[in-house]
Coordinates of all heavy atoms in Angstrom, one line a residue:
M7 N -35.1 18.9 -52.5 CA -34.9 17.5 -52.7 C -33.5 17.3 -53.2 O -33.1 17.9 -54.2 CB -35.9 16.9 -53.6 CG -35.9 15.5 -53.7 SD -37.4 15.0 -54.6 CE -37.3 13.3 -54.3
P8 N -32.7 16.4 -52.5 CA -31.3 16.2 -53.0 C -31.3 15.5 -54.4 O -32.1 14.7 -54.7 CB -30.6 15.4 -51.9 CG -31.7 14.8 -51.2 CD -33.0 15.6 -51.4
T9 N -30.2 15.8 -55.1 CA -30.0 15.1 -56.4 C -29.6 13.7 -56.1 O -29.2 13.3 -55.0 CB -29.0 15.8 -57.2 OG1 -27.7 15.8 -56.6 CG2 -29.4 17.3 -57.5
A10 N -29.5 12.9 -57.1 CA -29.1 11.5 -57.0 C -27.6 11.5 -56.5 O -27.2 10.7 -55.7 CB -29.2 10.8 -58.3
A11 N -26.8 12.4 -57.1 CA -25.4 12.4 -56.7 C -25.3 12.8 -55.2 O -24.4 12.3 -54.5 CB -24.6 13.4 -57.6
E12 N -26.1 13.8 -54.8 CA -26.0 14.2 -53.4 C -26.5 13.1 -52.5 O -25.9 12.8 -51.4 CB -26.9 15.4 -53.1 CG -26.3 16.7 -53.8 CD -27.3 17.9 -53.7 OE1 -28.5 17.7 -53.7 OE2 -26.8 19.0 -53.8
S13 N -27.5 12.3 -52.9 CA -28.0 11.2 -52.1 C -27.0 10.1 -52.0 O -26.7 9.5 -51.0 CB -29.3 10.6 -52.7 OG -30.4 11.5 -52.6
E14 N -26.3 9.9 -53.2 CA -25.2 8.9 -53.2 C -24.1 9.3 -52.3 O -23.5 8.5 -51.5 CB -24.7 8.6 -54.6 CG -23.6 7.6 -54.7 CD -24.1 6.2 -54.3 OE1 -25.3 5.9 -54.5 OE2 -23.2 5.5 -53.8
L15 N -23.7 10.6 -52.3 CA -22.7 11.1 -51.4 C -23.1 11.0 -50.0 O -22.3 10.6 -49.1 CB -22.4 12.5 -51.8 CG -21.3 13.2 -51.0 CD1 -19.9 12.5 -51.1 CD2 -21.1 14.7 -51.4
G16 N -24.3 11.3 -49.7 CA -24.8 11.2 -48.3 C -24.7 9.8 -47.8 O -24.4 9.5 -46.7
G17 N -25.1 8.9 -48.7 CA -25.1 7.4 -48.3 C -23.7 7.0 -48.1 O -23.4 6.2 -47.1
A18 N -22.7 7.4 -48.9 CA -21.3 7.1 -48.7 C -20.8 7.6 -47.4 O -20.0 6.9 -46.7 CB -20.5 7.6 -49.9
V19 N -21.2 8.8 -47.1 CA -20.7 9.4 -45.8 C -21.3 8.6 -44.6 O -20.5 8.3 -43.7 CB -21.1 10.9 -45.7 CG1 -20.9 11.5 -44.3 CG2 -20.4 11.7 -46.8
E20 N -22.5 8.2 -44.7 CA -23.1 7.5 -43.6 C -22.4 6.1 -43.5 O -22.2 5.6 -42.4 CB -24.6 7.3 -43.9 CG -25.5 8.5 -43.6 CD -27.0 8.2 -43.8 OE1 -27.4 7.1 -43.8 OE2 -27.7 9.2 -44.0
R21 N -22.2 5.5 -44.6 CA -21.5 4.2 -44.6 C -20.1 4.3 -44.0 O -19.6 3.5 -43.2 CB -21.4 3.5 -46.0 CG -22.7 3.0 -46.4 CD -22.6 2.2 -47.7 NE -22.1 2.9 -48.9 CZ -22.8 3.7 -49.6 NH1 -24.1 3.8 -49.4 NH2 -22.3 4.4 -50.7
E22 N -19.4 5.4 -44.3 CA -18.1 5.7 -43.8 C -18.1 5.9 -42.3 O -17.3 5.4 -41.5 CB -17.4 6.9 -44.5 CG -16.0 7.1 -44.2 CD -15.1 6.0 -44.6 OE1 -15.3 5.4 -45.6 OE2 -14.1 5.8 -43.9
Q23 N -19.1 6.6 -41.9 CA -19.3 6.8 -40.4 C -19.6 5.5 -39.7 O -19.2 5.3 -38.6 CB -20.4 7.9 -40.2 CG -20.1 9.3 -40.6 CD -21.2 10.2 -40.5 OE1 -22.4 9.8 -40.5 NE2 -20.9 11.5 -40.4
D24 N -20.5 4.7 -40.3 CA -20.8 3.4 -39.8 C -19.5 2.5 -39.6 O -19.3 1.9 -38.6 CB -21.8 2.7 -40.6 CG -23.2 3.3 -40.5 OD1 -23.4 4.2 -39.6 OD2 -24.1 3.0 -41.3
V25 N -18.7 2.6 -40.6 CA -17.4 1.8 -40.6 C -16.5 2.3 -39.5 O -16.0 1.6 -38.7 CB -16.7 1.8 -42.0 CG1 -15.3 1.3 -41.8 CG2 -17.5 1.0 -43.0
A26 N -16.4 3.6 -39.4 CA -15.6 4.2 -38.4 C -16.1 3.9 -37.0 O -15.3 3.6 -36.0 CB -15.5 5.8 -38.5
T27 N -17.4 3.9 -36.8 CA -18.0 3.6 -35.5 C -17.8 2.1 -35.2 O -17.4 1.8 -34.0 CB -19.5 3.9 -35.5 OG1 -19.7 5.2 -35.8 CG2 -20.2 3.5 -34.2
A28 N -17.9 1.2 -36.2 CA -17.7 -0.2 -36.0 C -16.2 -0.4 -35.6 O -15.9 -1.2 -34.7 CB -18.1 -1.0 -37.2
E29 N -15.3 0.3 -36.3 CA -13.9 0.1 -36.0 C -13.6 0.6 -34.5 O -12.8 0.0 -33.8 CB -13.0 0.9 -37.0 CG -13.0 0.2 -38.3 CD -12.3 1.0 -39.4 OE1 -12.0 2.2 -39.1 OE2 -11.9 0.5 -40.4
A30 N -14.2 1.7 -34.2 CA -14.0 2.3 -32.8 C -14.5 1.3 -31.8 O -13.9 1.0 -30.8 CB -14.6 3.6 -32.7
N31 N -15.7 0.7 -32.0 CA -16.3 -0.2 -31.1 C -15.4 -1.5 -31.0 O -15.2 -2.0 -29.9 CB -17.7 -0.6 -31.5 CG -18.7 0.6 -31.3 OD1 -18.4 1.5 -30.5 ND2 -19.8 0.5 -31.9
A32 N -14.9 -2.0 -32.1 CA -14.1 -3.2 -32.1 C -12.8 -2.9 -31.4 O -12.3 -3.7 -30.6 CB -13.8 -3.6 -33.6
S33 N -12.2 -1.7 -31.6 CA -11.0 -1.3 -30.9 C -11.2 -1.2 -29.4 O -10.4 -1.7 -28.6 CB -10.5 0.0 -31.4 OG -9.3 0.4 -30.7
A34 N -12.4 -0.6 -29.0 CA -12.7 -0.5 -27.5 C -12.9 -1.9 -27.0 O -12.5 -2.2 -25.8 CB -13.9 0.3 -27.4
G35 N -13.6 -2.8 -27.7 CA -13.8 -4.1 -27.3 C -12.5 -4.9 -27.1 O -12.3 -5.6 -26.1
A36 N -11.6 -4.7 -28.1 CA -10.3 -5.3 -28.0 C -9.5 -4.8 -26.8 O -8.8 -5.6 -26.0 CB -9.5 -5.1 -29.2
R37 N -9.6 -3.5 -26.5 CA -8.9 -2.9 -25.4 C -9.5 -3.5 -24.1 O -8.8 -3.8 -23.1 CB -9.0 -1.4 -25.4 CG -8.0 -0.7 -26.3 CD -7.9 0.8 -26.1 NE -9.2 1.4 -26.1 CZ -9.8 1.9 -27.2 NH1 -9.2 1.8 -28.4 NH2 -11.0 2.5 -27.1
S38 N -10.8 -3.6 -24.0 CA -11.5 -4.2 -22.9 C -11.0 -5.6 -22.6 O -10.7 -6.0 -21.4 CB -13.0 -4.1 -23.0 OG -13.6 -4.7 -21.9
V39 N -11.0 -6.4 -23.6 CA -10.5 -7.8 -23.5 C -9.1 -7.8 -23.0 O -8.7 -8.6 -22.1 CB -10.7 -8.6 -24.8 CG1 -10.0 -9.9 -24.8 CG2 -12.2 -8.8 -25.1
L40 N -8.2 -7.0 -23.6 CA -6.8 -7.0 -23.3 C -6.7 -6.5 -21.8 O -5.9 -7.1 -21.1 CB -6.1 -6.0 -24.2 CG -4.6 -5.9 -24.0 CD1 -3.9 -7.3 -24.2 CD2 -4.0 -4.9 -25.0
S41 N -7.4 -5.5 -21.4 CA -7.4 -5.0 -20.0 C -7.8 -6.2 -19.1 O -7.1 -6.3 -18.0 CB -8.3 -3.9 -19.8 OG -7.8 -2.7 -20.5
K42 N -8.8 -6.9 -19.4 CA -9.2 -8.0 -18.5 C -8.1 -9.1 -18.5 O -7.9 -9.7 -17.4 CB -10.5 -8.6 -19.1 CG -11.7 -7.7 -18.8 CD -13.0 -8.3 -19.4 CE -14.1 -7.4 -19.2 NZ -15.4 -7.8 -19.9
E43 N -7.5 -9.4 -19.6 CA -6.4 -10.4 -19.6 C -5.2 -9.9 -18.8 O -4.6 -10.7 -18.0 CB -5.9 -10.7 -21.0 CG -6.9 -11.5 -21.8 CD -7.2 -12.8 -21.3 OE1 -6.2 -13.5 -20.9 OE2 -8.3 -13.3 -21.2
I44 N -4.9 -8.6 -18.9 CA -3.8 -8.1 -18.1 C -4.1 -8.2 -16.6 O -3.3 -8.6 -15.8 CB -3.5 -6.7 -18.5 CG1 -2.8 -6.7 -19.9 CG2 -2.5 -6.0 -17.5 CD1 -2.7 -5.3 -20.6
A45 N -5.3 -7.8 -16.2 CA -5.8 -7.8 -14.8 C -5.7 -9.3 -14.3 O -5.3 -9.5 -13.2 CB -7.2 -7.2 -14.7
K46 N -6.2 -10.2 -15.1 CA -6.1 -11.6 -14.7 C -4.7 -12.1 -14.5 O -4.4 -12.7 -13.5 CB -6.8 -12.5 -15.8 CG -6.9 -13.9 -15.5 CD -7.6 -14.7 -16.6 CE -7.6 -16.2 -16.4 NZ -8.2 -16.9 -17.5
K47 N -3.8 -11.7 -15.4 CA -2.4 -12.1 -15.2 C -1.8 -11.5 -14.0 O -1.1 -12.1 -13.2 CB -1.6 -11.6 -16.5 CG -0.2 -11.9 -16.5 CD 0.1 -13.4 -16.6 CE 1.6 -13.6 -16.8 NZ 1.9 -15.0 -16.7
H48 N -2.1 -10.2 -13.7 CA -1.6 -9.6 -12.5 C -2.1 -10.3 -11.2 O -1.4 -10.4 -10.3 CB -1.9 -8.1 -12.5 CG -1.2 -7.3 -13.4 ND1 -1.4 -5.9 -13.7 CD2 -0.1 -7.6 -14.2 CE1 -0.5 -5.5 -14.6 NE2 0.2 -6.5 -14.9
E49 N -3.4 -10.6 -11.3 CA -4.0 -11.3 -10.1 C -3.3 -12.7 -9.9 O -3.0 -13.1 -8.8 CB -5.5 -11.5 -10.3 CG -6.2 -12.3 -9.2 CD -6.2 -11.5 -7.9 OE1 -5.8 -10.3 -7.8 OE2 -6.4 -12.2 -6.9
E50 N -3.0 -13.4 -11.0 CA -2.3 -14.7 -10.9 C -0.9 -14.5 -10.3 O -0.5 -15.3 -9.4 CB -2.2 -15.4 -12.2 CG -3.6 -15.9 -12.8 CD -3.5 -16.3 -14.2 OE1 -2.4 -16.2 -14.8 OE2 -4.5 -16.8 -14.7
E51 N -0.2 -13.5 -10.7 CA 1.1 -13.2 -10.2 C 1.0 -12.8 -8.7 O 1.9 -13.2 -7.9 CB 1.8 -12.1 -11.0 CG 2.1 -12.4 -12.4 CD 2.6 -11.3 -13.3 OE1 2.5 -10.1 -12.8 OE2 3.0 -11.5 -14.4
R52 N 0.0 -12.0 -8.4 CA -0.1 -11.6 -7.0 C -0.4 -12.8 -6.1 O 0.2 -13.0 -5.0 CB -1.2 -10.6 -6.8 CG -1.4 -10.0 -5.4 CD -2.6 -9.2 -5.3 NE -3.8 -9.9 -5.4 CZ -4.4 -10.7 -4.4 NH1 -3.7 -10.8 -3.3 NH2 -5.5 -11.3 -4.6
R53 N -1.3 -13.7 -6.6 CA -1.6 -14.9 -5.8 C -0.4 -15.8 -5.7 O -0.2 -16.5 -4.7 CB -2.7 -15.7 -6.4 CG -4.0 -15.0 -6.2 CD -5.2 -15.7 -6.8 NE -6.4 -14.9 -6.7 CZ -7.5 -15.4 -6.2 NH1 -7.6 -16.6 -5.8 NH2 -8.6 -14.6 -6.1
A54 N 0.4 -15.9 -6.8 CA 1.6 -16.8 -6.7 C 2.6 -16.2 -5.7 O 3.4 -17.0 -5.1 CB 2.3 -16.8 -8.1
E55 N 2.6 -14.9 -5.5 CA 3.6 -14.3 -4.5 C 3.1 -14.4 -3.1 O 3.8 -14.2 -2.1 CB 3.8 -12.9 -4.8 CG 4.6 -12.7 -6.1 CD 4.7 -11.3 -6.6 OE1 4.1 -10.4 -5.9 OE2 5.3 -11.0 -7.6
M56 N 1.8 -14.7 -2.9 CA 1.2 -14.8 -1.5 C 1.7 -16.1 -0.9 O 1.8 -17.1 -1.5 CB -0.3 -14.9 -1.6 CG -0.9 -13.5 -2.0 SD -2.7 -13.6 -2.1 CE -3.2 -14.1 -0.5
P57 N 2.0 -16.0 0.4 CA 2.5 -17.2 1.1 C 1.4 -18.2 1.3 O 0.2 -17.9 1.4 CB 2.9 -16.7 2.5 CG 2.1 -15.4 2.7 CD 1.9 -14.8 1.3
T58 N 1.8 -19.5 1.3 CA 0.8 -20.6 1.6 C 0.4 -20.5 3.1 O 1.0 -19.8 3.9 CB 1.4 -21.9 1.2 OG1 2.5 -22.2 2.1 CG2 1.8 -22.0 -0.2
A59 N -0.6 -21.3 3.4 CA -1.0 -21.4 4.9 C 0.2 -21.8 5.7 O 0.4 -21.3 6.8 CB -2.2 -22.3 5.0
A60 N 1.0 -22.8 5.3 CA 2.1 -23.3 6.0 C 3.2 -22.2 6.2 O 3.7 -22.1 7.3 CB 2.7 -24.5 5.4
E61 N 3.4 -21.5 5.1 CA 4.4 -20.4 5.2 C 3.9 -19.3 6.1 O 4.7 -18.7 6.9 CB 4.6 -19.8 3.8 CG 5.4 -20.8 2.9 CD 5.4 -20.3 1.4 OE1 4.5 -19.5 1.0 OE2 6.3 -20.7 0.7
S62 N 2.6 -19.0 6.1 CA 2.1 -18.0 7.0 C 2.2 -18.5 8.4 O 2.6 -17.7 9.3 CB 0.6 -17.8 6.7 OG 0.5 -17.2 5.4
E63 N 1.9 -19.7 8.7 CA 2.1 -20.3 10.1 C 3.5 -20.2 10.5 O 3.8 -19.8 11.6 CB 1.5 -21.7 10.1 CG 1.6 -22.3 11.5 CD 0.8 -21.5 12.6 OE1 -0.2 -20.9 12.2 OE2 1.3 -21.5 13.7
L64 N 4.4 -20.6 9.6 CA 5.8 -20.5 10.0 C 6.3 -19.1 10.3 O 7.0 -18.8 11.2 CB 6.7 -21.1 8.8 CG 8.2 -21.1 9.0 CD1 8.6 -21.9 10.3 CD2 8.9 -21.6 7.8
G65 N 5.8 -18.2 9.4 CA 6.1 -16.7 9.6 C 5.6 -16.3 11.0 O 6.2 -15.5 11.7
G66 N 4.3 -16.7 11.3 CA 3.7 -16.3 12.6 C 4.6 -16.9 13.7 O 4.8 -16.2 14.7
A67 N 5.0 -18.1 13.6 CA 5.8 -18.7 14.7 C 7.1 -18.0 14.8 O 7.6 -17.7 16.0 CB 6.1 -20.2 14.3
V68 N 7.7 -17.6 13.7 CA 9.0 -16.8 13.8 C 8.7 -15.4 14.5 O 9.5 -15.0 15.3 CB 9.6 -16.6 12.4 CG1 10.7 -15.6 12.4 CG2 10.1 -17.9 11.8
E69 N 7.6 -14.8 14.1 CA 7.3 -13.5 14.7 C 7.1 -13.7 16.2 O 7.6 -12.8 17.0 CB 6.1 -12.9 14.1 CG 6.4 -12.3 12.7 CD 5.1 -11.8 12.0 OE1 4.1 -11.5 12.8 OE2 5.1 -11.5 10.8
R70 N 6.4 -14.7 16.6 CA 6.1 -14.9 18.1 C 7.5 -15.2 18.8 O 7.7 -14.7 19.9 CB 5.2 -16.1 18.3 CG 3.7 -15.8 17.9 CD 2.8 -16.9 18.3 NE 3.0 -18.1 17.6 CZ 2.5 -18.4 16.4 NH1 1.8 -17.5 15.7 NH2 2.8 -19.6 15.8
E71 N 8.4 -15.9 18.1 CA 9.7 -16.2 18.8 C 10.5 -14.9 18.9 O 11.1 -14.7 19.9 CB 10.4 -17.2 17.9 CG 11.7 -17.7 18.5 CD 11.5 -18.5 19.8 OE1 10.5 -19.1 20.0 OE2 12.5 -18.4 20.6
Q72 N 10.4 -14.1 17.9 CA 11.1 -12.8 17.9 C 10.5 -11.9 19.0 O 11.2 -11.2 19.8 CB 11.0 -12.1 16.6 CG 11.9 -12.7 15.5 CD 11.6 -12.1 14.1 OE1 10.6 -11.5 13.9 NE2 12.6 -12.3 13.3
D73 N 9.2 -12.0 19.2 CA 8.5 -11.2 20.3 C 9.0 -11.7 21.6 O 9.2 -10.9 22.5 CB 7.0 -11.3 20.1 CG 6.4 -10.6 18.9 OD1 7.2 -9.7 18.3 OD2 5.3 -10.8 18.6
V74 N 9.1 -13.0 21.8 CA 9.5 -13.5 23.1 C 11.0 -13.1 23.3 O 11.3 -12.6 24.4 CB 9.4 -15.1 23.1 CG1 10.2 -15.7 24.3 CG2 7.9 -15.5 23.1
A75 N 11.8 -13.2 22.3 CA 13.2 -12.8 22.5 C 13.3 -11.3 22.8 O 14.1 -10.9 23.7 CB 14.0 -13.1 21.2
T76 N 12.5 -10.5 22.2 CA 12.5 -9.0 22.5 C 12.0 -8.8 23.9 O 12.6 -8.0 24.6 CB 11.6 -8.3 21.5 OG1 12.1 -8.5 20.2 CG2 11.5 -6.8 21.8
A77 N 11.0 -9.5 24.3 CA 10.4 -9.3 25.7 C 11.5 -9.7 26.7 O 11.7 -9.1 27.7 CB 9.2 -10.1 25.9
E78 N 12.2 -10.9 26.4 CA 13.2 -11.3 27.3 C 14.4 -10.3 27.4 O 14.9 -10.0 28.5 CB 13.8 -12.7 26.9 CG 12.8 -13.8 27.1 CD 13.3 -15.1 26.5 OE1 14.2 -15.1 25.7 OE2 12.7 -16.2 26.9
A79 N 14.8 -9.7 26.3 CA 15.8 -8.8 26.2 C 15.4 -7.5 27.0 O 16.2 -6.9 27.8 CB 16.2 -8.4 24.8
N80 N 14.2 -7.1 26.8 CA 13.7 -5.9 27.6 C 13.6 -6.2 29.1 O 14.0 -5.3 29.9 CB 12.3 -5.5 27.0 CG 12.3 -4.9 25.7 OD1 13.4 -4.5 25.2 ND2 11.2 -4.9 25.0
A81 N 13.2 -7.4 29.4 CA 13.2 -7.7 30.9 C 14.6 -7.8 31.4 O 14.8 -7.3 32.5 CB 12.5 -9.1 31.1
S82 N 15.5 -8.3 30.7 CA 16.9 -8.4 31.1 C 17.5 -7.0 31.3 O 18.1 -6.7 32.3 CB 17.7 -9.2 30.1 OG 19.0 -9.2 30.5
A83 N 17.2 -6.1 30.3 CA 17.6 -4.7 30.4 C 17.0 -4.0 31.6 O 17.7 -3.3 32.3 CB 17.3 -4.0 29.1
G84 N 15.8 -4.3 31.8 CA 15.1 -3.7 33.0 C 15.7 -4.2 34.3 O 15.9 -3.4 35.2
A85 N 16.0 -5.5 34.3 CA 16.6 -6.0 35.5 C 18.0 -5.4 35.7 O 18.4 -5.1 36.9 CB 16.7 -7.5 35.4
R86 N 18.8 -5.3 34.6 CA 20.1 -4.7 34.7 C 20.0 -3.2 35.2 O 20.8 -2.8 36.0 CB 20.8 -4.7 33.4 CG 21.4 -6.1 33.1 CD 22.3 -6.0 31.9 NE 21.8 -5.5 30.7 CZ 21.1 -6.1 29.8 NH1 20.8 -7.4 29.9 NH2 20.6 -5.5 28.7
S87 N 19.0 -2.5 34.7 CA 18.8 -1.1 35.2 C 18.5 -1.1 36.6 O 19.1 -0.2 37.4 CB 17.6 -0.5 34.4 OG 17.4 0.8 34.8
V88 N 17.6 -1.9 37.1 CA 17.3 -1.9 38.6 C 18.5 -2.3 39.4 O 18.8 -1.7 40.4 CB 16.1 -2.9 38.8 CG1 15.9 -3.2 40.3 CG2 14.8 -2.4 38.2
L89 N 19.2 -3.3 38.9 CA 20.4 -3.7 39.6 C 21.5 -2.6 39.6 O 22.1 -2.4 40.7 CB 21.0 -5.0 38.9 CG 22.2 -5.6 39.6 CD1 21.9 -6.0 41.0 CD2 22.7 -6.8 38.8
S90 N 21.6 -1.9 38.5 CA 22.6 -0.8 38.5 C 22.2 0.3 39.5 O 23.0 0.9 40.1 CB 22.6 -0.2 37.1 OG 23.2 -1.1 36.1
K91 N 20.9 0.6 39.5 CA 20.4 1.6 40.5 C 20.7 1.1 41.9 O 21.1 1.9 42.8 CB 18.9 1.8 40.3 CG 18.6 2.6 39.0 CD 17.2 2.8 38.8 CE 16.9 3.5 37.5 NZ 15.5 3.6 37.2
E92 N 20.5 -0.1 42.2 CA 20.7 -0.7 43.6 C 22.2 -0.6 43.9 O 22.6 -0.2 45.0 CB 20.2 -2.1 43.7 CG 18.7 -2.3 43.7 CD 18.1 -1.6 44.9 OE1 18.6 -1.7 46.0 OE2 17.0 -0.9 44.7
I93 N 23.1 -0.9 42.9 CA 24.5 -0.8 43.2 C 24.9 0.6 43.4 O 25.7 0.9 44.3 CB 25.3 -1.5 42.0 CG1 25.1 -3.0 42.0 CG2 26.8 -1.2 42.1 CD1 25.6 -3.7 40.7
A94 N 24.4 1.5 42.6 CA 24.7 2.9 42.7 C 24.3 3.4 44.1 O 25.0 4.2 44.8 CB 24.1 3.7 41.6
K95 N 23.1 3.0 44.5 CA 22.6 3.4 45.8 C 23.5 2.9 46.9 O 23.8 3.6 47.9 CB 21.1 2.9 46.0 CG 20.5 3.3 47.2 CD 19.0 2.8 47.3 CE 18.4 3.0 48.6 NZ 17.0 2.5 48.6
K96 N 23.9 1.7 46.8 CA 24.8 1.1 47.8 C 26.1 1.8 47.9 O 26.6 2.1 49.0 CB 25.0 -0.4 47.5 CG 25.8 -1.2 48.5 CD 25.1 -1.4 49.8 CE 26.0 -2.2 50.7 NZ 25.6 -2.2 52.0
H97 N 26.7 2.1 46.7 CA 27.9 2.8 46.7 C 27.8 4.2 47.3 O 28.7 4.7 48.0 CB 28.5 2.9 45.3 CG 29.0 1.7 44.7 ND1 29.4 1.5 43.4 CD2 29.2 0.4 45.3 CE1 29.8 0.3 43.2 NE2 29.7 -0.4 44.3
E98 N 26.7 4.9 47.0 CA 26.4 6.2 47.6 C 26.3 6.1 49.1 O 26.9 7.0 49.8 CB 25.2 6.8 47.0 CG 24.8 8.2 47.5 CD 25.9 9.3 47.2 OE1 26.7 9.1 46.3 OE2 25.9 10.3 47.9
E99 N 25.7 5.1 49.6 CA 25.5 4.9 51.0 C 26.9 4.6 51.7 O 27.2 5.2 52.7 CB 24.6 3.7 51.4 CG 23.1 4.0 51.1 CD 22.2 2.8 51.2 OE1 22.7 1.7 51.5 OE2 21.0 3.0 51.0
E100 N 27.7 3.8 51.0 CA 29.1 3.5 51.5 C 29.9 4.8 51.5 O 30.7 5.1 52.5 CB 29.7 2.4 50.7 CG 29.1 1.1 50.9 CD 29.6 0.0 49.9 OE1 30.4 0.4 49.0 OE2 29.2 -1.1 50.1
R101 N 29.8 5.6 50.4 CA 30.6 6.8 50.3 C 30.2 7.8 51.5 O 31.1 8.4 52.1 CB 30.4 7.5 49.0 CG 31.3 8.7 48.7 CD 30.9 9.3 47.4 NE 29.6 9.9 47.3 CZ 29.3 11.1 48.0 NH1 30.1 11.7 48.7 NH2 28.0 11.5 47.8
R102 N 28.9 7.9 51.7 CA 28.5 8.8 52.7 C 28.9 8.3 54.1 O 29.2 9.1 55.0 CB 26.9 9.0 52.7 CG 26.5 9.8 51.5 CD 25.1 10.1 51.5 NE 24.7 10.8 50.3 CZ 23.6 11.5 50.2 NH1 22.7 11.4 51.1 NH2 23.3 12.1 49.1
A103 N 28.9 7.0 54.3 CA 29.3 6.5 55.6 C 30.8 6.7 55.8 O 31.2 6.9 57.0 CB 29.0 5.0 55.6
E104 N 31.6 6.8 54.8 CA 33.0 7.1 54.9 C 33.3 8.6 55.1 O 34.4 8.9 55.5 CB 33.8 6.5 53.7 CG 33.7 5.0 53.6 CD 34.3 4.5 52.3 OE1 34.7 5.3 51.5 OE2 34.4 3.3 52.2
M105 N 32.4 9.4 54.7 CA 32.7 10.9 54.9 C 32.6 11.3 56.3 O 31.8 10.8 57.1 CB 31.6 11.7 54.1 CG 31.7 11.6 52.6 SD 30.4 12.4 51.7 CE 30.6 14.1 52.3
P106 N 33.5 12.2 56.7 CA 33.4 12.6 58.1 C 32.1 13.5 58.3 O 31.7 14.2 57.5 CB 34.7 13.5 58.3 CG 35.1 13.9 56.9 CD 34.6 12.8 56.0
T107 N 31.6 13.4 59.5 CA 30.4 14.2 59.8 C 30.9 15.6 60.1 O 32.1 15.8 60.3 CB 29.7 13.6 61.1 OG1 30.6 13.7 62.2 CG2 29.2 12.2 60.8
A108 N 30.0 16.5 60.2 CA 30.3 17.9 60.5 C 31.0 18.0 61.8 O 31.9 18.8 62.0 CB 29.0 18.7 60.5
A109 N 30.6 17.2 62.8 CA 31.2 17.2 64.1 C 32.6 16.7 64.1 O 33.5 17.2 64.8 CB 30.4 16.4 65.1
E110 N 32.9 15.7 63.2 CA 34.2 15.1 63.1 C 35.1 16.1 62.3 O 36.4 16.0 62.5 CB 34.2 13.8 62.3 CG 33.4 12.7 63.1 CD 33.3 11.4 62.3 OE1 33.3 11.4 61.1 OE2 33.1 10.4 63.0
S111 N 34.6 16.9 61.5 CA 35.4 17.8 60.7 C 35.9 18.9 61.6 O 36.6 19.5 62.0 CB 34.7 18.5 59.6 OG 34.1 17.6 58.7

C-alpha cells in the first residue's frame, strides 16, 4: 500500500499528465481551426480568381474566333500548296515541251 507521500506524488503526476493532455488537445484544436480558416481563405482567393460567366463567354468567343482564323489560315496554306503544285506541274510540262525529242536530237 502506498504511503501518503507516494499517493500525493501519484496524484500530482496524474494531474500533470491531465494538464499536458488538455494542452495538447487545445493545441490540436487550435491547429484544426487555423487549418480550416486557411483553407477557407484559399478557397475564397481561388473563387475570386475564377472568371465570371460573362468573362468565360467572352473567352469562349475569343477562342472560337481564333479557331476560325486558324482554320482559314490552314485552308489558305492548303490552297497555296495546291496552287504551287499546279504551277510546278505546268512549268514541268512546258519545259518538257521545249526539250528536243530523241528523234530531233
Side-chain angles (χ1 to χ4, degrees):
M7 187 170 190
T9 65
E12 291 172 334
S13 293
E14 182 61 32
L15 180 59
V19 168
E20 284 183 19
R21 286 190 298 277
E22 188 64 32
Q23 289 173 341
D24 289 346
V25 167
T27 300
E29 287 175 346
N31 289 343
S33 179
R37 283 193 305 272
S38 176
V39 169
L40 184 58
S41 293
K42 288 177 184 175
E43 288 297 318
I44 291 171
K46 182 178 174 184
K47 180 69 173 170
H48 287 175
E49 179 64 15
E50 289 171 358
E51 290 171 354
R52 186 187 66 77
R53 287 181 186 231
E55 292 172 356
M56 289 177 61
T58 64
E61 290 170 335
S62 293
E63 181 58 33
L64 178 60
V68 168
E69 285 179 17
R70 288 189 295 277
E71 187 65 29
Q72 289 172 340
D73 290 345
V74 168
T76 299
E78 289 173 347
N80 289 343
S82 179
R86 283 193 304 274
S87 176
V88 169
L89 184 57
S90 294
K91 288 178 184 175
E92 289 296 318
I93 291 170
K95 183 178 175 183
K96 180 71 174 167
H97 287 174
E98 180 62 19
E99 289 172 357
E100 290 172 355
R101 186 185 66 74
R102 288 186 182 195
E104 293 173 356
M105 288 177 61
T107 62
E110 294 174 338
S111 301

